[in-house]
Amino acid sequence: VVSDTHCYTWEELHPSIRECISTADIAVHCGDFTRMDVVDGISKHSRKAVLVSGNSDPVEIREALPYTQIIEVQGISIGVIHPVWGGPEFPAEELLQDFTKQLDIVLFGHLHETLNEVRNGVLFVNPGQGYSSFKVPATMATLTIQNGHAVADIILIEPGR
């Protein structure tokens, strides 16, 4: 699970992120690609891609990708979103209003800060940002689902500069 990569090309993504996308059963990007080449790269190099558009994505991406997606894995309902209405930090539970179905997990972007927390029975995961910047590391998340149980982990890709 990755979000907020803000890259121009697939090759600009950190090599560790590209490798994880290529080897994951399902690669999820929670929006803010900023260029279609990144969308195309993820789609081409992943086994299965679940992608949503973000508030920093150009019209071309917002027309090509949905605002939200819901997938089901081993009976677990997972929502993916990049809220366009969020400004400063907001309670993660507010994301549920943009889905019409009860969810077990919400994967989301936008805040550039990691979150891996259960709130009111829902697991909320924000993988952070997919690039390192001033004092903010590049991170991503893994979501492992086995026997109907989900475990998320935040992975440090590169420390902040």
Side-chain angles (χ1 to χ4, degrees):
V1 180
V2 68
S3 187
D4 297 281
T5 48
H6 296 274
C7 291
Y8 285 10
T9 67
W10 162 253
E11 289 77 21
E12 280 184 54
L13 283 174
H14 193 281
S16 296
I17 293 175
R18 291 196 317 261
E19 181 181 345
C20 286
I21 287 169
S22 297
T23 60
D25 292 329
I26 302 171
V28 177
H29 194 299
C30 302
D32 276 6
F33 303 84
T34 63
R35 293 295 186 271
M36 199 63 178
D37 187 74
V38 180
V39 173
D40 293 341
I42 292 170
S43 297
K44 178 181 177 184
H45 294 283
S46 64
R47 295 176 188 171
K48 177 181 179 177
V50 176
L51 314 172
V52 297
S53 61
N55 63 304
S56 292
D57 288 324
V59 171
E60 176 186 27
I61 292 174
R62 286 181 287 163
E63 288 178 348
L65 298 178
Y67 170 59
T68 64
Q69 284 210 55
I70 298 175
I71 61 171
E72 190 165 305
V73 178
Q74 294 184 19
I76 295 176
S77 183
I78 305 167
V80 183
I81 186 171
H82 188 107
V84 294
W85 47 261
E89 193 167 341
F90 51 85
E93 297 88 339
E94 289 183 12
L95 295 168
L96 296 172
Q97 68 191 359
D98 288 343
F99 293 96
T100 57
K101 182 179 177 185
Q102 175 73 29
L103 301 172
D104 300 302
I105 301 171
V106 176
L107 307 175
F108 70 102
H110 188 60
L111 298 178
H112 294 237
E113 293 183 21
T114 60
L115 179 70
N116 181 7
E117 189 174 303
V118 175
R119 297 182 182 178
N120 299 321
V122 177
L123 174 61
F124 291 91
V125 179
N126 186 321
Q129 65 183 32
Y131 63 96
S132 65
S133 60
F134 183 69
K135 295 187 179 182
V136 180
T139 54
M140 62 176 289
T142 59
L143 181 63
T144 304
I145 299 175
Q146 220 168 20
N147 301 322
H149 291 75
V151 175
D153 292 299
I154 303 297
I155 308 297
L156 175 66
I157 299 298
E158 185 176 80
R161 301 177 214 155

